[in-house]
Amino acid sequence: DYVIKETPEGIIVENKKAGLIVKAPEGWEAKKIELREGWVMFYSPETEIKWKEEGVVLLPLEKGCIIDTEVMYNKMDLIQIKSDIKYSLSPLILEFIEFENITINNHEALRTTFDTQKVGPGIIVNIPWNDKVYIFNLTFGADEKEKCIQEFNKFLETLSIK
């Protein structure tokens, strides 16, 4: 579903089926992950990725930032998404979880900030729209939290959902 284009403005990723366009942070790489439909991973140049198996990154990250994007073709509201996130993170032994309703490009979204014993810290932003949920997941090395969050926020500003 995704097309990764190198342009003079940087790397642009488009999913026509889902109506999604995003721009990779400057200097970052983009890679399609074939394990799930419409899954693309963006990562900063200093990211040290250890692969558990093809497409599955061994977490927590020691260094760098990763943003995963995915589209789930399922109609859900913010309450259902919140419940699903609690359920999916609970086996990872939650240390901290916080939910915040936000707006991204005129779309209601849920921002989840968490820390777990097994995979470390991260942020998930879910945007339900029509019969889809757009998912953006940030993972980062502990020493690069602020820089990665700043890049993630800029990344979210570039996204377009039609």
Side-chain angles (χ1 to χ4, degrees):
D1 293 338
Y2 282 86
V3 175
I4 299 173
K5 301 177 200 172
E6 298 263 351
T7 72
E9 294 83 35
I11 297 173
I12 306 291
V13 176
E14 183 176 9
N15 180 333
K16 286 186 181 179
K17 177 180 174 186
L20 176 67
I21 300 171
V22 294
K23 182 180 182 292
E26 190 173 326
W28 286 35
E29 298 293 324
K31 176 181 172 111
K32 284 186 190 183
I33 306 293
E34 302 297 336
L35 289 180
R36 292 193 291 237
E37 183 178 356
W39 190 8
V40 174
M41 180 176 84
F42 300 89
Y43 55 94
S44 60
E46 72 279 356
T47 304
E48 295 176 0
I49 300 174
K50 294 180 183 167
W51 298 96
K52 189 189 288 187
E53 56 190 73
E54 182 56 35
V56 180
V57 175
L58 190 59
L59 297 174
L61 278 183
E62 291 182 24
K63 190 173 182 182
C65 318
I66 295 176
I67 299 172
D68 291 304
T69 67
E70 181 181 352
V71 179
M72 184 171 55
Y73 294 90
N74 192 4
K75 186 171 182 66
M76 296 177 77
D77 62 26
L78 295 176
I79 294 167
Q80 292 168 310
I81 292 168
K82 189 175 187 177
S83 177
D84 273 12
I85 290 171
K86 283 181 183 177
Y87 179 77
S88 65
L89 289 177
S90 63
L92 303 176
I93 309 171
L94 276 169
E95 301 266 325
F96 170 80
I97 191 164
E98 178 180 271
F99 296 99
E100 179 185 5
N101 289 351
I102 61 173
T103 302
I104 297 176
N105 293 344
N106 299 318
H107 297 286
E108 267 191 354
L110 180 66
R111 181 184 183 105
T112 307
T113 304
F114 65 90
D115 195 357
T116 69
Q117 285 184 9
K118 291 191 177 183
V119 299
I123 297 173
I124 305 168
V125 172
N126 288 269
I127 305 172
W129 182 250
N130 294 332
D131 59 345
K132 299 173 212 55
V133 179
Y134 301 89
I135 305 164
F136 307 93
N137 182 30
L138 172 67
T139 309
F140 47 85
D143 294 340
E144 290 153 310
K145 177 180 179 179
E146 295 307 318
K147 180 183 76 157
C148 294
I149 290 173
Q150 184 178 16
E151 290 295 333
F152 185 56
N153 290 337
K154 284 194 267 183
F155 170 84
L156 292 172
E157 290 172 8
T158 72
L159 72 89
S160 169
I161 298 171
K162 298 176 182 170

